[in-house]
Amino acid sequence: MYVIVSYDISDDTLRKNIANLLEDNGKRVQYSVFECHLDAKRLEGLIVELDRFVEDDDSIRIYQICETCLKKMVMLGRCESIREPDFYIV
């Protein structure tokens, strides 16, 4: 599934840890926004891992984007998406 993760974390160390974790799972598309392709089990694990970083007024938002909505995505300017290929050549 296609997932967008955004975060607003005040602590520099926690913010860096979150970025590192998300870089292992997707692609940074803006400073605090990542696009990821994850299966349900990996998404569940990622949510558990991210939850330990949230303190007080911090926030992490995870948006699951369905295939129909993904087709309607509009990107302006210099943008790259990490959309899954329709097929793989082996």
Side-chain angles (χ1 to χ4, degrees):
M1 76 185 69
Y2 188 84
V3 179
I4 297 174
V5 181
S6 67
Y7 56 90
D8 183 10
I9 304 294
S10 56
D11 182 86
D12 291 340
T13 302
L14 292 176
R15 190 171 49 251
K16 178 65 175 158
N17 290 338
I18 289 169
N20 289 339
L21 177 60
L22 291 172
E23 285 173 346
D24 291 340
N25 289 279
K27 179 179 179 180
R28 184 184 294 235
V29 294
Q30 291 187 3
Y31 187 72
S32 296
V33 180
F34 284 78
E35 293 179 355
C36 309
H37 280 283
L38 306 169
D39 61 29
K41 184 175 181 178
R42 182 61 199 131
L43 176 57
E44 183 178 315
L46 182 62
I47 291 169
V48 169
E49 290 179 74
L50 289 171
D51 185 49
R52 65 190 173 105
F53 293 112
V54 179
E55 296 180 344
D56 302 326
D57 293 330
D58 295 340
S59 68
I60 299 175
R61 294 175 182 240
I62 301 169
Y63 301 94
Q64 296 179 43
I65 309 297
C66 71
E67 190 62 34
T68 301
C69 294
L70 189 57
K71 290 176 184 177
K72 296 177 184 178
M73 180 170 50
V74 175
M75 295 186 289
L76 304 172
R78 195 186 84 198
C79 305
E80 290 182 33
S81 177
I82 62 163
R83 294 187 67 173
E84 287 281 325
D86 293 330
F87 59 90
Y88 295 91
I89 298 175
V90 181

